[in-house]
Amino acid sequence: MSEKFGVKVEDIFNTMEERFRPEGAEGVDASFGYDISGRGRWKLTVKDGSMKIEQTDDLGGCAAVIQADADTFVGVNIGKVDGTAAFTSGKLSVDGDVGAFGTTAKLFKRFTPPKKELTVGEYVLDMFGTLEARFQTGAAEGLDITIGYDIGGEEGGQWTARIKDGKCTVTEELVPSPSLTMIMKAKDWVELMLGKVDAVNLLTTGRAKVEGDMNLATKLGELFAKYTAPGEEEEEEQELLVLKKIISVNQKFATGPVMGKYLNGLKEKKILANKCRECGRMQVPPREVCALCRIRCDEFVEVGPKGNVRLLDTAYYASPDPLTGETRETPYGLIYILLDGCSGQEVFAHFLRDDQLDRIEMGWNEKKGTIVRPVWAEERTGKVADIKYFEIDE
Amino acid sequence: MAHRKKNRNVGVIGVGQTKHSSHREDVNQAEMIHEAVREALDDAGLKMDDIDCLVHGNMELFEMIHQPDLWHALGTGAYGKNTFRLTTGGTTGATLFCAGDNLVASGMYDVTMVIGFEKLQEGHTTGGITNMADPLWTRSIQTGALTGTCAYDLIQEFGEERANQVAMMYRIIMDQHAGLNPKAHRAFGLEWDQMDHLIKTSARLVGELKIIDMCSQSDGACAVIMATEEKAKELSDNPVWIRDHITVHREESFTMLGYDQATVPPLTHKVAAEALFKRNGISKPADYFDVFEMYDPSSWWGVDWLRAFFLLEGDEHLKLVEEKEIAIGGKIPVNPSGGVIASNPIGATALVRPAEACLQVRGDAGPHQIPTPVNHALASGFGGTMWTVLIMLEKELGW
Amino acid sequence: MGNRVAICAMAQVKNEPNVWYQRFQGMLLDCLEPILQQTGVTYDTDKGIRNIVTCSDDVFDARTISDNGMTDVVGAHFRGEEKTAQDGLNGLGYAMACILSGHDDVVLFMGHCKESQTESRNMSTNLAYDPFFCRPVGMDFLNVNAFQARAYMEKAGVTDEHLAEVVVRSRENAAMNPFARESGKVTKEDVLNSPFLADPIRELHAYPVTDWAVGMLLCCEERVKEFTDNPVWITGFGNCMDRYFVGDRDLTSNFSLKKACEKAYGMAGIKDPKSDVDVIELSDAYAHQLPMLAEGIGLAGEGQGGKWIESGGPAKANVNLSGGMLNGNPIMLGGVARAVEGYIQLRGEAGDRQVDGAKRALAHGTTGGACQHQTVLILEK
């Protein structure tokens, strides 16, 4: 049980089969572990559009194991806790393939706690139990009043709300001569609070009576926020809309003579740098000027194609390619290569072959890094992808 | 001629910010900006009629709005005003602040309001940042602003254990600051005993850069009102004076990696700090300034850049963190607001820095006010391909 | 300390329909090199360029933070760079403020825009409208200017014939300007028979797709002799924003232009533009805007645009001798192209279209649909 949200951890797992969405499971073939501290371990297996959930201590073979406490786990599942924030702050952690775990988000419909129809008596208790919390301090400035509630019938009772110094105190009694007293049966009171019947109707038909300061009666709506039944807070009509739109305006980027010469070089499996005639700096890819010397660069030199890796940036976060909209598989390696013929900071950035991430040694000062070579695309048209990636030269 | 003092003194007389948040579906862009504008006007006790000139900035492609100041006129109050629009990437907010200073100091406008905003939720942030790369080359390779190179350099220089510890300490201090700032987007309530666990388990984004290290993506806006000395004294009891500022950009290519210590060019932050402090006669910035609001996109960069901005040597910057001197109550509090890791509406982020610094100078920062008097404040912006804007603020005139 | 700012040098590439052979970096570099050469200015941190004000736009550059791509070609490596993202005339106004503030004594201004890069100029300017109402109903700068054209033609008695005259004159003037887009001379019949883009705007009433880049070196009064013997002074500047929703404003009222003029005239001490200004350059992106803007700056009477054209007003007041925006300058730089003509005229370098004894020029720029934001800059010899 998560005391905080009134939902059992077991409920989340026990309802997984009925919440399962086969369309969200397309292409998923893996097991996922759930380690809920103090409550137990579960293993979810998804294959061929179907699923199996079991409580077991053996989480072997899972692509990822999620660890969290009961409140966090339940909170995320019922939408009361932001999953990203829980993940970022470490309250929820994933051991194993984070990317794979991300796919579980699409597997299930959201868990909604079963809704219980309240009895009239339960409603009355809840309505007066929440009265203080619904009090609107701002509307009560300067007020010093008492409001009596005389709710008749077996499920009724008597209450007084005392409003003074911007505070509201509710007691279960009817004090003598309140500023205003409202008298009606429990059933009518509940219908009035739920908005199923209006006050004028109740008064004119004699089902409700008001004694004392009538002007005050008209102010009650401002003094207390509208009552909402437990579990219904989020089902209110949403007035705000979000407009979703993909914006795309086609472009044609000129290469210019400098970048053009470079891209044409790639077609012939040549990597061209340009060299500053003043400071000798090489730039790959070439730029129109040397930023340091502020002079035009027009001398081209072929470099590479091999080089040593100075730095490997391993990306675990799936960033979309803005030119295609496609999201890359993670992890992947972005390497800064010092191509043969270049020195110092004259590095060239490109991708590393996917399966060689853990075999790269980075250079540091005089020490060289792993030697790599380009793998050329079969068809080369003068663009970045003419080099597919670099791989270890062996 | 060398850089000289401005022709007119300029004072900040009003500051406004929205609450920064991961999503503000309840307002559109103009409405969100209006919240900051109204708060700044209220703070200064002014009406829109008192404003001569507006400066607006953000990054168009994050929300995909061309010339957004035209639409936002609904919320900025631009109707009938002189208006400018400047944008320089992450530094935008700081550029706006400098522009406001320049426009008022020029004598062309007496009272100017600068407005930075971003509604990052309305676009794809990492995609938007990746779009800054050259379309013909690095655009298909870059991963937004994410890179593990800074973490790698710190680990190489100071060892894995110490570097990780310091970065996580920095992170927890920032989170604790954010917890005191009601406008901050994120405050997780991180505790010191979580440190080792977070170092080990927080998901990695790129290299050693972990998800907990990285700045947020926020919706938010910030507005700052500036006036000439005469007007500022007339309109405000506690103007904060803009002493000086400097902008340093660098070329687009990433020829600044730490792997070859002999050839690493100077960091723009250091170039900016050296030039700015030299011309203002400040030799020990960590002693001179009472607070520093730094644009810290990740805890690694935050740690590393302390050395550059404060002109420190060796591991002095690490010690500042280890001894918690950068925390509220420390010798030189850094980002009492919680900084950029806590709140990051990009076009506003670099304006929030001087705005928060002004509140600290005034003593009006509320729960995150630092306890000792603030007479000299420093604020920085970061953006583009490692660009810097550095701003000095003073409580009293006559420096 | 003077209160004038000098333009010491200017360099531009030719306005062209499609610079397919160069990146904007190359275009900017072609402007930077002659400026450095003409003036001998350096990037020395004491005596040279410390700050560069640029002008471009991320949507037309199709790049987030497009100043990334130009840091090196404008020389901003380890220097300051600030990008203005509205009509470039505002960038010149901002550069002026940088100098008058005392913060800078030399500022380089660099602007570029390649309209040919985007597949559709209208799709790009559609993005300037809110996504909820104006975008879905198809507003872009062309359509919204057509609303203005219809309303203004009704108000000021401007006819299709008048507009044809405006276009014919624009192309004739442009033929004398070696840096103008080679849009070609046209006859009145050509204009009257050209197809409608957005009624009443015909194809030849609208400025054609153009690529361009330009640079200027600005400096404070005390240092001008170091860089030129023939400076042109910026003596006045003003701009103003009108309301956003088209229905919230009178599209023909010139509200924002009148306010911008008030400010700029006040600074420069202009009482009557008819007698006090020798060269006038207006950003007439659409033909109807020439007479309308002439009303706004006080050159033609209110609602008298039709008569002003009939009486030869444009030629008498030396309006748009460059050919104007109508002949082709890119969005973002229309106002700068106007200032460039003013600069050339005041220096006496305008060749066949030179105005004798020109002492003062007015340059106008606009940002947004139906002139929502307008800017005026005053130049003096």
Side-chain angles (χ1 to χ4, degrees):
Chain A
M1 183 82 175
S2 153
E3 283 71 26
K4 202 166 166 191
F5 300 112
V7 173
K8 287 183 192 153
V9 171
E10 290 78 9
D11 289 348
I12 306 286
F13 291 110
N14 293 342
T15 55
M16 270 184 170
E17 291 205 20
E18 62 199 62
R19 292 188 290 119
F20 185 63
R21 299 170 62 244
E23 65 272 27
E26 213 170 296
V28 182
D29 179 4
S31 291
F32 305 95
Y34 296 85
D35 183 354
I36 313 302
S37 42
R39 307 303 161 100
R41 293 172 176 189
W42 282 262
K43 185 173 183 178
L44 169 71
T45 306
V46 182
K47 195 180 168 116
D48 301 330
S50 67
M51 61 149 280
K52 192 176 90 176
I53 183 84
E54 56 187 327
Q55 189 165 11
T56 167
D57 276 340
D58 176 20
L59 296 183
C62 287
V65 177
I66 173 186
Q67 288 156 327
D69 61 61
D71 282 345
T72 303
F73 177 70
V74 169
V76 168
N77 272 280
I78 65 173
K80 296 270 185 187
V81 168
D82 179 39
T84 312
F87 183 58
T88 309
S89 64
K91 289 198 170 114
L92 182 155
S93 57
V94 176
D95 194 12
D97 186 345
V98 180
F101 188 75
T103 62
T104 62
K106 290 185 194 154
L107 294 176
F108 304 104
K109 287 184 231 135
R110 175 178 285 182
F111 178 86
T112 39
K115 221 167 68 183
K116 199 175 107 193
E117 191 54 44
L118 302 185
T119 65
V120 170
E122 284 167 334
Y123 265 126
V124 170
L125 286 178
D126 192 48
M127 283 166 179
F128 286 100
T130 57
L131 197 59
E132 282 180 15
R134 289 187 284 120
F135 177 65
Q136 305 288 300
T137 319
E141 207 174 312
L143 284 187
D144 180 0
I145 52 163
T146 47
I147 305 166
Y149 300 89
D150 187 354
I151 309 298
E154 253 176 56
E155 293 169 305
Q158 293 179 322
W159 286 269
T160 301
R162 176 84 199 253
I163 296 169
K164 196 184 174 183
D165 300 333
K167 281 189 188 131
C168 173
T169 335
V170 178
T171 50
E172 204 176 338
E173 60 178 330
L174 198 60
V175 300
S177 53
S179 325
L180 170 79
T181 311
M182 292 192 288
I183 306 158
M184 69 190 89
K185 287 205 172 114
K187 184 173 157 290
D188 291 331
W189 172 252
V190 168
E191 288 194 349
L192 176 68
M193 288 293 102
L194 293 177
K196 291 181 182 164
V197 60
D198 71 68
V200 179
N201 187 314
L202 286 177
L203 288 169
T204 48
T205 55
R207 286 157 67 196
K209 251 183 13 186
V210 177
E211 288 173 1
D213 185 350
M214 281 300 287
N215 285 337
L216 208 53
T218 59
K219 264 198 90 177
L220 288 178
E222 296 164 32
L223 286 173
F224 298 101
K226 195 173 172 298
Y227 172 79
T228 43
E232 280 186 0
E233 294 92 339
E234 300 204 351
E235 291 174 21
E236 275 180 70
E237 195 71 21
Q238 177 64 270
E239 247 186 273
L240 300 164
L241 302 177
V242 171
L243 180 70
K244 297 213 166 165
K245 190 115 179 71
I246 291 173
I247 292 164
S248 140
V249 182
N250 287 349
Q251 304 285 324
K252 48 179 197 293
F253 293 109
T255 66
V258 177
M259 189 63 90
K261 193 170 174 96
Y262 167 78
L263 292 172
N264 268 311
L266 293 181
K267 282 195 213 168
E268 290 151 37
K269 297 192 184 182
K270 280 182 186 168
I271 303 176
L272 295 174
N274 70 353
K275 189 175 178 180
C276 173
R277 63 188 130 88
E278 203 156 296
C279 71
R281 184 169 78 141
M282 308 273 265
Q283 304 190 85
V284 248
R287 306 272 314 181
E288 280 79 356
V289 281
C290 170
L292 279 59
C293 307
R294 297 186 175 83
I295 54 164
R296 201 178 278 268
C297 287
D298 35 28
E299 190 191 334
F300 286 82
V301 183
E302 190 180 343
V303 293
K306 291 180 191 176
N308 84 90
V309 177
R310 303 302 297 184
L311 195 85
L312 161 68
D313 235 0
T314 308
Y316 301 95
Y317 173 79
S319 160
D321 180 339
L323 293 179
T324 62
E326 281 167 28
T327 300
R328 289 183 203 106
E329 294 272 320
T330 55
Y332 64 90
L334 173 60
I335 46 177
Y336 295 89
I337 312 153
L338 204 54
L339 295 171
D340 293 348
C342 295
S343 63
Q345 294 285 329
E346 298 156 6
V347 282
F348 174 74
H350 215 291
F351 294 117
L352 176 70
R353 202 173 103 181
D354 281 348
D355 58 350
Q356 298 188 327
L357 274 172
D358 46 9
R359 292 179 53 203
I360 293 294
E361 262 200 69
M362 298 187 238
W364 189 259
N365 291 337
E366 284 86 39
K367 188 187 139 236
K368 278 193 175 179
T370 309
I371 308 287
V372 290
R373 65 184 173 219
V375 175
W376 297 94
E378 295 261 312
E379 231 183 288
R380 291 176 305 281
T381 54
K383 61 178 190 307
V384 179
D386 285 357
I387 299 175
K388 285 159 74 178
Y389 44 78
F390 279 72
E391 64 178 6
I392 296 172
D393 184 42
E394 53 191 358
Chain B
M1 74 190 71
H3 182 89
R4 58 191 170 195
K5 216 180 136 181
K6 308 184 284 209
N7 293 328
R8 289 165 198 83
N9 287 319
V10 179
V12 172
I13 60 167
V15 168
Q17 277 179 73
T18 58
K19 154 104 176 108
H20 306 296
S21 156
S22 61
H23 51 88
R24 287 300 309 275
E25 288 105 334
D26 56 324
V27 283
N28 68 31
Q29 295 173 17
E31 289 165 345
M32 187 182 75
I33 290 168
H34 186 74
E35 290 176 12
V37 167
R38 181 151 293 262
E39 189 172 292
L41 288 170
D42 288 347
D43 183 50
L46 298 183
K47 293 210 168 353
M48 209 58 222
D49 283 349
D50 301 313
I51 308 291
D52 302 327
C53 176
L54 283 182
V55 190
H56 176 284
N58 77 311
M59 271 149 284
E60 288 94 337
L61 296 196
F62 281 142
E63 293 88 4
M64 286 305 279
I65 313 286
H66 173 54
Q67 310 283 354
D69 52 330
L70 300 169
W71 168 29
H72 296 166
L74 292 170
T76 56
Y79 170 66
K81 309 278 178 211
N82 290 268
T83 75
F84 291 86
R85 177 170 160 77
L86 284 101
T87 159
T88 57
T91 40
T92 294
T95 300
L96 296 173
F97 192 89
C98 299
D101 178 48
N102 289 338
L103 289 163
V104 174
S106 72
M108 289 161 72
Y109 310 96
D110 286 344
V111 184
T112 292
M113 170 152 55
V114 304
I115 305 164
F117 95 99
E118 213 75 66
K119 247 188 134 191
L120 288 177
Q121 207 233 353
E122 297 194 356
H124 190 292
T125 307
T126 299
I129 297 178
T130 306
N131 256 330
M132 80 190 220
D134 191 292
L136 300 174
W137 183 245
T138 38
R139 194 175 286 188
S140 58
I141 293 175
Q142 201 173 335
T143 50
L146 302 174
T147 169
T149 54
C150 184
Y152 177 70
D153 289 351
L154 275 169
I155 288 170
Q156 286 287 324
E157 190 173 353
F158 301 107
E160 192 163 353
E161 194 184 340
R162 190 177 182 202
N164 265 300
Q165 292 265 341
V166 171
M168 198 53 72
M169 281 188 82
Y170 182 93
R171 180 65 190 91
I172 292 175
I173 292 170
M174 289 307 133
D175 190 65
Q176 293 181 344
H177 288 178
L180 299 171
N181 179 2
K183 300 226 153 157
H185 166 183
R186 304 190 302 182
F188 296 118
L190 300 181
E191 304 284 350
W192 288 111
D193 60 11
Q194 273 180 274
M195 209 161 97
D196 291 336
H197 181 71
L198 282 171
I199 290 172
K200 273 193 224 113
T201 62
S202 181
R204 291 194 291 178
L205 294 171
V206 179
E208 278 302 314
L209 179 74
K210 304 174 196 69
I211 190 166
I212 190 73
D213 298 324
M214 195 62 193
C215 56
S216 68
Q217 297 176 7
S218 316
D219 290 0
C222 179
V224 174
I225 303 174
M226 301 161 186
T228 55
E229 180 178 346
E230 193 186 326
K231 277 271 182 184
K233 285 177 171 168
E234 177 193 320
L235 297 170
S236 170
D237 296 333
N238 51 5
V240 178
W241 305 104
I242 305 170
R243 177 164 170 179
D244 200 358
H245 51 81
I246 191 167
T247 301
V248 178
H249 284 195
R250 60 160 289 125
E251 65 177 325
E252 184 175 11
S253 58
F254 287 90
T255 52
M256 52 190 168
L257 302 169
Y259 59 76
D260 189 346
Q261 298 285 291
T263 62
V264 191
L267 196 59
T268 47
H269 297 334
K270 189 168 185 189
V271 173
E274 279 174 346
L276 184 71
F277 298 151
K278 187 180 167 206
R279 74 191 186 204
N280 285 283
I282 291 162
S283 55
K284 290 191 170 158
D287 294 340
Y288 180 79
F289 291 103
D290 303 310
V291 69
F292 179 26
E293 273 287 337
M294 171 170 55
Y295 195 124
D296 55 345
S298 78
S299 44
W300 294 97
W301 271 340
V303 170
D304 187 47
W305 295 353
L306 286 173
R307 179 161 66 179
F309 284 123
F310 288 145
L311 309 178
L312 300 174
E313 311 230 328
D315 66 349
E316 287 175 328
H317 57 312
L318 267 55
K319 286 182 184 147
L320 277 184
V321 180
E322 286 163 338
E323 289 157 19
K324 296 185 190 162
E325 296 290 8
I326 61 160
I328 293 174
K331 186 177 134 217
I332 170 70
V334 174
N335 293 354
S337 64
V340 183
I341 308 178
S343 318
N344 188 24
I346 301 183
T349 302
L351 181 58
V352 173
R353 308 278 69 76
E356 279 285 345
C358 285
L359 291 176
Q360 291 287 344
V361 172
R362 279 164 40 177
D364 289 340
H368 61 287
Q369 177 68 43
I370 68 173
T372 43
V374 180
N375 294 310
H376 319 288
L378 185 66
S380 79
F382 156 79
T385 45
M386 199 60 77
W387 297 345
T388 312
V389 179
L390 201 53
I391 296 161
M392 287 172 65
L393 301 162
E394 299 281 348
K395 192 180 182 75
E396 305 291 343
L397 285 169
W399 47 79
Chain C
M1 174 68 201
N3 57 359
R4 295 194 301 176
V5 169
I7 304 177
C8 307
M10 183 280 296
Q12 59 177 322
V13 297
K14 190 175 166 72
N15 285 275
E16 287 185 31
N18 181 8
V19 182
W20 59 270
Y21 50 87
Q22 257 195 354
R23 306 203 294 164
F24 68 70
Q25 285 87 344
M27 295 164 69
L28 284 166
L29 194 56
D30 284 348
C31 300
L32 177 65
E33 284 174 333
I35 290 176
L36 300 182
Q37 225 159 35
Q38 282 169 39
T39 59
V41 71
T42 68
Y43 285 86
D44 182 272
T45 47
D46 273 346
K47 299 198 163 213
I49 299 166
R50 286 190 299 265
N51 193 19
I52 298 115
V53 173
T54 60
C55 171
S56 75
D57 171 80
D58 285 5
V59 168
F60 275 90
D61 282 339
R63 264 188 97 139
T64 302
I65 324 171
S66 66
D67 24 7
N68 274 314
M70 50 181 151
T71 320
D72 56 357
V73 291
V74 302
H77 188 57
F78 288 125
R79 298 293 180 275
E81 184 269 344
E82 296 174 312
K83 186 173 98 174
T84 49
Q86 14 171 210
D87 182 281
L89 207 51
N90 301 290
L92 285 175
Y94 177 64
M96 175 188 188
C98 292
I99 291 171
L100 290 182
S101 74
H103 198 267
D104 292 298
D105 46 8
V106 183
V107 173
L108 176 68
F109 171 85
M110 300 291 294
H112 75 268
C113 185
K114 284 186 84 175
E115 285 193 338
S116 69
Q117 186 177 285
T118 175
E119 186 180 72
S120 161
R121 199 167 61 180
N122 292 346
M123 276 168 80
S124 298
T125 59
N126 173 252
L127 294 180
Y129 289 91
D130 70 86
F132 310 112
F133 175 68
C134 294
R135 271 190 206 173
V137 300
M139 289 193 188
D140 54 39
F141 290 174
L142 169 66
N143 289 334
V144 169
N145 280 303
F147 293 151
Q148 184 188 55
R150 171 65 70 207
Y152 177 70
M153 287 167 78
E154 296 261 334
K155 172 182 169 180
V158 169
T159 63
D160 209 18
E161 295 261 328
H162 289 141
L163 297 185
E165 269 183 54
V166 169
V167 178
V168 169
R169 177 172 175 273
S170 157
R171 299 290 179 91
E172 278 169 1
N173 284 343
M176 291 184 284
N177 177 359
F179 286 91
R181 187 183 187 278
E182 287 174 15
S183 299
K185 288 188 188 178
V186 291
T187 63
K188 266 178 93 164
E189 286 66 38
D190 292 337
V191 183
L192 288 169
N193 291 323
S194 88
F196 281 121
L197 293 178
D199 187 4
I201 295 178
R202 295 177 185 279
E203 193 177 333
L204 287 173
H205 294 161
Y207 78 111
V209 168
T210 309
D211 298 346
W212 190 48
V214 60
M216 287 181 177
L217 185 75
L218 282 69
C219 92
C220 64
E221 197 161 358
E222 300 100 303
R223 294 194 57 194
V224 67
K225 289 205 165 61
E226 293 175 43
F227 305 115
T228 181
D229 298 328
N230 194 4
V232 168
W233 302 96
I234 305 180
T235 57
F237 175 82
N239 67 18
C240 181
M241 179 74 85
D242 202 345
R243 296 192 198 281
Y244 166 67
F245 282 115
V246 171
D248 284 354
R249 56 188 169 114
D250 176 350
L251 296 178
T252 67
S253 72
N254 281 308
F255 167 81
S256 53
L257 179 54
K258 286 173 182 166
K259 291 271 276 189
C261 284
E262 207 178 290
K263 177 100 184 163
Y265 291 177
M267 265 174 96
I270 294 175
K271 295 211 169 49
D272 180 0
K274 289 198 269 292
S275 52
D276 296 353
V277 184
D278 310 308
V279 174
I280 289 173
E281 284 281 321
L282 303 172
S283 282
D284 53 346
Y286 300 90
H288 72 276
Q289 287 173 342
L290 187 80
M292 192 190 79
L293 298 168
E295 290 184 22
I297 63 163
L299 201 58
E302 186 80 16
Q304 303 297 306
K307 287 187 187 139
W308 181 70
I309 295 171
E310 275 169 26
S311 64
K316 279 186 208 157
N318 299 319
V319 178
N320 286 9
L321 296 174
S322 64
M325 178 95 172
L326 189 53
N327 178 71
N329 303 122
I331 192 168
M332 307 307 299
L333 294 178
V336 185
R338 310 282 70 77
V340 163
E341 177 68 10
Y343 171 87
I344 294 170
Q345 289 280 357
L346 296 179
R347 280 169 62 106
E349 294 167 349
D352 291 346
R353 62 187 199 287
Q354 179 65 45
V355 175
D356 288 339
K359 290 204 162 47
R360 194 188 256 152
L362 177 153
H364 159 265
T366 176
T367 308
C371 309
Q372 188 183 340
H373 184 271
Q374 308 207 60
T375 312
V376 170
L377 185 88
I378 307 296
L379 297 170
E380 290 181 43
K381 194 174 159 70

